[in-house]
Amino acid sequence: MYENENEIKYLKNLIKNKLKHTYLDQYIQRPIIEDEKLIFLNEILNHLPTYKKESYIVTIMLIDIALTIHDSVNDGPELPEHMPERVSKQLSVLAGDYYSGLYYLLLSEIDDFKMIHTLADAIKVINEQKMKLYYQEFSSFDEFMECVKDINSLSISYVASHINEPILSEFVSDWLLLDKLYSLKENVESNQSHFLENWLGESPYYSNQDLDVFLKRDIPISIKNIEKSAKQIPDSYVKLKSYIFNKIDHMKIDMVIIQRTEEG
């Protein structure tokens, strides 16, 4: 469990209040606010004054939500009989545009040109990676997963680089991908991994079988690699390190149980 859990709940409520829209809430899936990203941001921006930290976190998470909601146009609630499915998809696209407008508004309120430039660069690269996936511009499943990793984490890893924490910048990309794949493997909060399945669904080259092979092969390896790299996180982030190592321990135990179950 994360030591500052109440802070995460508070930040979630701030974000939910920004996302609240009476009409959109009826017809599209409520956006998912991912705890792992909030925890990481809360720790790496903790040196800022509270009002500034909260503003940055809300903005970054809105960017993340706006950039991913278009990838879950098929995941909305059941539609009324009079509403065609295409209308729901159009609303999801419009919702992404609406959230984009919100984060641009919040960016304009941040009196930090360098941070604005950092986030703009992240948005640009994420969209480039999404287009790479959309047009199937990859030659292997591993390359596909590298694109997915970038889409999932660059908004946060760029912020880590911005505050001059290169170790955290590299670590967060690997950690967020491992966490998402682990959740998918365990079917725990698997809706957080829908965007991955949606990208696979668009590919004529790869299937869920490829994904299953990847999960079985790479999750144990990733856990070992993450455990090593987590030791390099500066001691000033002691709460973050403690949280990560505790979660790694749970992952390792669960993977042993899964392996024994499959062997049995």
Side-chain angles (χ1 to χ4, degrees):
M1 183 178 291
Y2 179 55
E3 188 173 332
N4 294 338
E5 187 176 358
N6 288 335
E7 287 185 36
I8 298 306
K9 290 179 180 178
Y10 173 74
L11 289 167
K12 267 190 171 182
N13 285 331
L14 288 181
I15 297 166
K16 286 177 182 178
N17 288 335
K18 288 290 184 183
L19 293 172
K20 194 174 294 183
H21 191 291
T22 304
Y23 183 75
L24 288 176
D25 288 348
Q26 295 180 63
Y27 300 117
I28 67 168
Q29 184 184 35
R30 189 177 295 274
I32 296 164
I33 304 169
E34 298 186 43
D35 285 358
E36 292 302 309
K37 295 178 180 180
L38 270 180
I39 289 170
F40 212 90
L41 288 170
N42 189 52
E43 289 298 321
I44 67 174
L45 298 175
N46 208 34
H47 63 285
L48 296 173
T50 300
Y51 77 94
K52 200 166 190 177
K53 181 184 80 169
E54 292 175 359
S55 178
Y56 282 2
I57 291 176
V58 170
T59 302
I60 295 163
M61 292 303 295
L62 281 176
I63 288 171
D64 185 74
I65 289 166
L67 289 172
T68 57
I69 195 168
H70 291 161
D71 305 325
S72 44
V73 294
N74 296 317
D75 297 330
E78 186 175 347
L79 299 173
E81 292 183 4
H82 67 277
M83 180 176 287
E85 183 180 352
R86 63 179 176 81
V87 175
S88 177
K89 292 182 178 181
Q90 290 168 351
L91 283 172
S92 290
V93 173
L94 289 173
D97 295 340
Y98 171 70
Y99 299 142
S100 297
L102 281 178
Y103 75 65
Y104 278 119
L105 174 62
L106 290 172
L107 281 177
S108 70
E109 296 173 352
I110 294 176
D111 187 21
D112 185 340
F113 180 77
K114 289 183 178 179
M115 176 63 87
I116 293 172
H117 185 71
T118 294
L119 294 174
D121 284 346
I123 293 166
K124 176 177 178 291
V125 177
I126 289 170
N127 280 325
E128 287 173 352
Q129 293 295 76
K130 290 178 74 171
M131 293 305 293
K132 187 175 180 180
L133 288 189
Y134 183 80
Y135 288 108
Q136 305 293 316
E137 296 175 354
F138 48 87
S139 57
S140 68
F141 194 80
D142 288 343
E143 190 177 342
F144 165 83
M145 290 306 304
E146 280 297 312
C147 287
V148 170
K149 180 169 78 171
D150 286 347
I151 292 168
N152 186 47
S153 64
L154 284 184
S155 58
I156 299 176
S157 66
Y158 268 51
V159 172
S161 292
H162 173 78
I163 63 170
N164 199 29
E165 291 289 3
I167 292 175
L168 289 175
S169 177
E170 185 175 346
F171 177 84
V172 70
S173 295
D174 293 331
W175 173 250
L176 290 178
L177 181 63
L178 170 61
D179 183 72
K180 192 166 289 266
L181 293 177
Y182 181 79
S183 295
L184 180 60
K185 174 73 175 172
E186 294 297 287
N187 290 319
V188 176
E189 298 180 347
S190 59
N191 55 350
Q192 293 189 15
S193 298
H194 279 183
F195 87 106
L196 177 61
E197 295 170 348
N198 287 338
W199 285 121
L200 274 173
E202 296 294 327
S203 172
Y205 307 111
Y206 303 104
S207 66
N208 284 328
Q209 288 181 330
D210 294 295
L211 178 60
D212 188 54
V213 170
F214 179 89
L215 294 175
K216 289 180 179 178
R217 181 195 72 193
D218 277 45
I219 285 182
I221 296 171
S222 295
I223 290 173
K224 289 181 181 179
N225 291 337
I226 283 288
E227 190 171 24
K228 290 179 181 177
S229 57
K231 294 176 182 178
Q232 304 303 315
I233 295 175
D235 289 337
S236 54
Y237 298 99
V238 62
K239 292 179 183 177
L240 180 62
K241 290 181 76 169
S242 175
Y243 169 77
I244 288 168
F245 280 119
N246 284 336
K247 193 157 186 177
I248 287 171
D249 287 341
H250 285 297
M251 287 181 178
K252 288 162 69 176
I253 292 170
D254 287 346
M255 292 304 293
V256 169
I257 293 172
I258 290 170
Q259 183 178 2
R260 288 178 179 173
T261 301
E262 290 178 348
E263 289 174 354

